[in-house]
Amino acid sequence: MKTPLAILFSLLFFSSCKKDEKGVVNMQPLGYTIEGSASNNTTYAYLQKYNNDNNFITIDSVPITKKEFIFKGYVDNLEPYQVVVNEEVYPLVLENTNYTLNNNVFEGTKLQEDYNVYYKGLISTENAFVYQRNFINSHPESMLAVVVLKTMLGKTSWRINQNKLAYEALDKSIKQTHLGKEINQFIKTHESLVIENREEVSVTIPKKENEDKVVIEKAKTSKSKSIFKKKSQKKVENIVYSGINFEADDIEGNNFKLSDIIVKSKYVLIDFWASWCAPCRKQNPYLVEVYNMYHDKGFDIVSVSEDRSKIAWQNAVDMDGLKWHHVIDDFNRLTKLYDIETIPHTILINGSGEIIASDISPYILKTKLGGLLRN
C-alpha cells in the first residue's frame, strides 16, 4: 500500500506546476514522447514545426541509436508538426501525450488517427488545394480543419485570399482557439501589407480557363508573340514591362514575382520540374552549364517545382547545384497558366515578356543563347 507521501511523489513525477494568468498554480502533464524506429543508425531524426512562412523549421534532433529514436518535450498549444527520418516525412498533430511510429504512421490520439487519414488523401490527390479546401468546408467544427489551414498559409496575395475564404468557413468555436486566432492575425497582417504594396502589374491567373489556352496557342503559332496583355505598363529601370505577372512562394518562403526577374534580364528560362522526375534531374547538370556560361551576360532561370515535399525539393536543389530562382507551383496554378501537361518543360522568354521558344532542350538552349547574346 502506498503512503500519502509516495502518492504525492508520484503525482509530482508525472506532473509539473504552471501558473495561469491569475497566478493560480495548476498541475500540468510533463509533456509528450515521440518514439519510433529507423532502418539504420547513421543519421538523426528531426522534429519540425510548421511556421507561418509556408515552411517547416527544425526544433529538435536526436541521434538514432540501435535503430530507434525518442523525442521528449512540452507544447503549449496544438500545432502541426512532422518527424523526418532518412528523408521520410511522418506528419504529426502534436499534443502532450505519447506517440509511437507504427506502420509508417504515428499513433497516439484520435486526432492523430484522423490526420493520418487526411494526409494519405492529400499525397494521393491530383489537386491538393481542392482537397484541402473541401476538407475544411466539410469539417468546420473540427480542430483538424484549423490545423490543415495552418499548413496552407502563404504571403502571396493569391494565397492570402484563399486562406481568408478557408478561415471564414470555420466554426466560430474553432476561430476562438489559440491556433484560430493566430491564423486570423496572420491573414489580417499580410492582407494589409499586400494592399499597401500592390503594384499596377499584379495580375495572376486569367479568370477563365479558356483564356489560358488562347494565350498559349497564340504563342505556339508565332515566332515571337507576347503572352502578356497590353492593358497596363510599368517602367522599371528604364525597361517597359506589361502584362500578366505570376507570383508564387520561393524556396525561402518569400514572395516572388516573375516581372522582377524579367525586367532585369535579357532572357529568362522558366523550367518546370520536380525532385522525383528522373528526366528533370538528368537535364539539370546541362542547365547548370548553360546558366554558368550566360548568366553574367543577361540570362537567368526560374525553376518551378511540382514537389509536395519541401525537404525533397530543397535536397534536390542543393544536390544538383541549382543556384538560380526557385518557386513552388502551389495547386498547379502555373502549369495551368502555361497549359503544360508533362515535365520537364521549359519556356524561354525575352526581356519584353515574349515567349521565343517552348520545350527547348539544354543543348538547343545553349546554341540559341550563344547567338542571341554573342554581342
Side-chain angles (χ1 to χ4, degrees), residues 229-297:
K229 296 179 180 179
K230 300 299 182 179
K231 184 176 180 180
S232 59
Q233 292 187 335
K234 182 186 176 185
K235 195 171 184 179
V236 180
E237 297 182 355
N238 298 321
I239 300 175
V240 175
Y241 173 82
S242 61
I244 295 175
N245 167 38
F246 78 69
E247 58 177 303
D249 295 326
D250 69 13
I251 203 164
E252 302 296 333
N254 299 316
N255 188 31
F256 172 92
K257 290 185 178 181
L258 178 62
S259 60
D260 291 343
I261 305 303
I262 289 182
V263 297
K264 298 176 183 178
S265 307
K266 294 180 180 178
Y267 299 97
V268 174
L269 184 76
I270 304 178
D271 171 41
F272 291 85
W273 78 301
S275 66
W276 44 260
C277 169
C280 303
R281 301 293 295 276
K282 187 176 181 180
Q283 79 170 11
N284 277 343
Y286 302 101
L287 288 180
V288 170
E289 180 184 354
V290 175
Y291 177 82
N292 291 337
M293 184 176 295
Y294 294 112
H295 179 60
D296 291 341
K297 297 182 179 180

Side-chain angles (χ1 to χ4, degrees), residues 168-204:
E168 291 174 349
L170 295 174
D171 185 78
K172 183 178 180 180
S173 62
I174 302 301
K175 292 179 180 178
Q176 294 304 311
T177 63
H178 172 83
L179 194 54
K181 292 179 180 179
E182 177 187 330
I183 291 173
N184 185 38
Q185 184 58 50
F186 175 89
I187 294 172
K188 287 183 176 179
T189 299
H190 292 280
E191 186 177 38
S192 63
L193 290 175
V194 167
I195 293 174
E196 291 176 5
N197 298 323
R198 181 164 293 166
E199 299 176 350
E200 293 181 13
V201 190
S202 182
V203 185
T204 52

Side-chain angles (χ1 to χ4, degrees), residues 59 66 99 106 126 128 163 193 200 225 263 339 352 365:
I59 64 169
K66 295 181 180 180
Y99 295 88
F106 277 109
E126 293 184 357
N163 293 159
L193 290 175
E200 293 181 13
K225 293 290 185 179
V263 297
D339 198 25
S352 299
L365 174 66

